[in-house]
Amino acid sequence: MRNAFTGHPSRRHVLTLGAGLAIGTALATTPAVAASAAPQMKTWDGSRSANGWPVVDQASKERLEGAGNVHVSLVDGDVATVLLYVARRFSYEIDMLRPGDVQSHTIDRHIGARFESNYLSGTALAIRPLFYPLGADKATGMTEQERTIVQDILADCGDVVAWGGDLDPVKESHFQIDVPPGDARLSRLAQRIQGWDATPGQGAGSIDAFAPARVRRARKAAAAR
């Protein structure tokens, strides 16, 4: 497969490509992960996760629209609106998600990195963490095309969402709310997403992340992070 597009693919092309990429990525990732050192697990003892949100015993179970019987457990309200938008775009534009593909809220306090504590507060999710595990070499993770889509998603979300591909250690499956409770940026983003969802031709399922203007915007946003 070529490493870059000469043009930009249609949504149908990306969906079709995504299925093959997912299979190829799984095959490529497995031996690399097996050869790498396992993350050292620690116990998170705090009452708040690393991003400042309260650790909770339960989270709201939300259905992932457009992905069959996929449900995600997240803090209800703006947090769920934003992170479900991230997951929907992955499902529409990279590869259709299936039950078991998304990990979210947990009460298991064993973590391999500080940012994994955010699952405890229901403010983070991991999309196909077996394909994109904690500490994996970037060369065995997402393809250039997948990263283009992820960077476009992040550009939509501004500084409200952080991606594990930008964190240390790397975990390209990881997405988290990166602002504290009560931050107005979160509510403003959730309102924008709701507006996109209510407007035909906007929002998840109707976006071309490879449109030149969007690629330029995503690169500029990535350079600013």
Side-chain angles (χ1 to χ4, degrees):
M1 180 183 295
R2 298 177 63 186
N3 291 328
F5 289 115
T6 55
H8 58 273
S10 65
R11 174 173 169 265
R12 181 182 299 275
H13 177 76
V14 174
L15 287 172
T16 303
L17 175 65
L21 288 172
I23 294 171
T25 303
L27 294 173
T29 300
T30 301
V33 173
S36 64
Q40 183 177 0
M41 302 302 290
K42 299 179 181 179
T43 300
W44 187 263
D45 295 325
S47 61
R48 291 180 178 268
S49 56
N51 61 358
W53 288 75
V55 170
V56 294
D57 293 331
Q58 296 182 10
S60 177
K61 190 175 182 180
E62 307 282 350
R63 186 178 72 84
L64 183 58
E65 181 182 348
N69 193 33
V70 177
H71 291 80
V72 186
S73 295
L74 299 165
V75 170
D76 195 15
D78 292 341
V79 168
T81 296
V82 170
L83 291 179
L84 286 172
Y85 173 76
V86 171
R88 288 204 322 273
R89 287 209 47 194
F90 186 104
S91 189
Y92 283 131
E93 299 174 49
I94 295 178
D95 190 29
M96 187 64 66
L97 296 176
R98 298 164 182 82
D101 280 349
V102 184
Q103 296 180 4
S104 47
H105 176 257
T106 182
I107 59 172
D108 184 354
R109 287 178 172 264
H110 293 93
I111 60 171
R114 289 188 79 255
F115 61 76
E116 290 190 324
S117 68
N118 298 324
Y119 304 127
L120 295 166
S121 60
T123 59
L125 53 76
I127 302 175
R128 291 184 171 164
L130 294 180
F131 287 3
Y132 318 114
L134 180 67
D137 191 304
K138 284 189 176 183
T140 66
M142 289 188 175
T143 66
E144 180 182 345
Q145 291 83 6
E146 290 172 323
R147 290 194 188 100
T148 295
I149 294 168
V150 168
Q151 294 296 347
D152 187 78
I153 295 169
L154 295 174
D156 271 355
C157 294
D159 49 6
V160 173
V161 173
W163 174 47
D166 294 330
L167 302 178
D168 185 17
V170 166
K171 186 177 181 180
E172 291 185 323
S173 56
H174 176 87
F175 298 87
Q176 70 181 45
I177 298 297
D178 207 40
V179 295
D183 194 301
R185 290 171 293 179
L186 173 60
S187 59
R188 287 197 297 264
L189 174 58
Q191 289 172 6
R192 286 201 301 273
I193 291 171
Q194 290 166 348
W196 296 334
D197 290 343
T199 305
Q202 294 188 17
S206 61
I207 294 170
D208 181 0
F210 296 90
R214 293 190 72 98
V215 171
R216 288 193 298 270
R217 182 197 65 149
R219 288 174 177 169
K220 182 177 180 180
R225 286 198 294 274

